[in-house]
């Protein structure tokens, strides 16, 4: 019933920008914590950002706070991740994830998210 579909990935040069989108169905994004994670080859998934629209709260990994912005469109039931000043180290598959309920201080824990999209590839060249 619940489905998350990411889009907006691609190949860009260092310093470029991308906006990732996550479309949700069978789920109300504004009433739950929505997270963005990424996974590089051979590594585990790591949290990038999260948003809880009902509480007007956003969360970011410290290393990405200055470059990434997470937002939500309640009417479209979608969440977004604006990524600026991209670096080669940002290369990874980016996933949208949905939790049950509000975000917590441990939003970055993957076990808190029960629904996951298939991911969208982001490749940043130097």
């Amino acid at each position: 019933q619940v489905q998350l579909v990411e889009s907006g990935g691609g190949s860009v040069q260092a310093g470029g920008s991308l906006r990732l989108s996550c479309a949700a169905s069978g789920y109300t994004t504004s009433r739950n914590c929505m997270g963005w994670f990424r996974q590089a080859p051979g590594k585990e998934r790591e949290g990038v950002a999260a948003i809880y629209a009902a509480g007007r709260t956003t969360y970011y990994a410290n290393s990405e706070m200055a470059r990434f912005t997470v937002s939500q469109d309640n009417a479209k039931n979608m969440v977004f991740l604006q990524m600026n000043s991209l670096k080669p180290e940002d290369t990874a598959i980016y996933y949208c994830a949905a939790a049950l309920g509000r975000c917590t201080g441990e939003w970055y824990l993957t076990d808190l998210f029960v629904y996951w999209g298939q991911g969208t590839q982001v490749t940043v060249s130097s």
Side-chain angles (χ1 to χ4, degrees):
Q1 181 66 28
V2 177
Q3 185 176 20
L4 305 176
V5 180
E6 303 97 334
S7 62
S11 299
V12 299
Q13 293 184 330
S17 299
L18 286 173
R19 191 180 81 153
L20 306 183
S21 300
C22 175
S25 61
Y27 183 90
T28 302
T29 60
S30 63
R31 296 185 179 275
N32 298 280
C33 180
M34 301 296 300
W36 284 100
F37 294 78
R38 66 185 180 187
Q39 184 172 24
K43 298 183 179 180
E44 296 184 356
R45 295 183 186 183
E46 61 178 353
V48 177
I51 182 171
Y52 179 57
R56 302 176 182 177
T57 307
T58 56
Y59 305 82
Y60 298 94
N62 291 336
S63 61
E64 316 301 340
M65 184 176 298
R67 301 184 297 122
F68 293 3
T69 302
V70 63
S71 61
Q72 185 166 31
D73 187 328
N74 294 340
K76 296 181 179 180
N77 202 34
M78 297 180 65
V79 294
F80 307 91
L81 183 67
Q82 179 67 45
M83 304 187 295
N84 299 323
S85 302
L86 286 165
K87 306 174 181 179
E89 62 196 66
D90 295 319
T91 296
I93 300 176
Y94 284 71
Y95 297 88
C96 175
L100 297 178
R102 65 178 61 199
C103 300
T104 69
E106 298 179 322
W107 64 270
Y108 50 84
L109 297 178
T110 58
D111 289 347
L112 300 178
F113 295 84
V114 299
Y115 301 113
W116 294 82
Q118 295 300 309
T120 183
Q121 177 71 48
V122 171
T123 302
V124 184
S125 61
S126 60

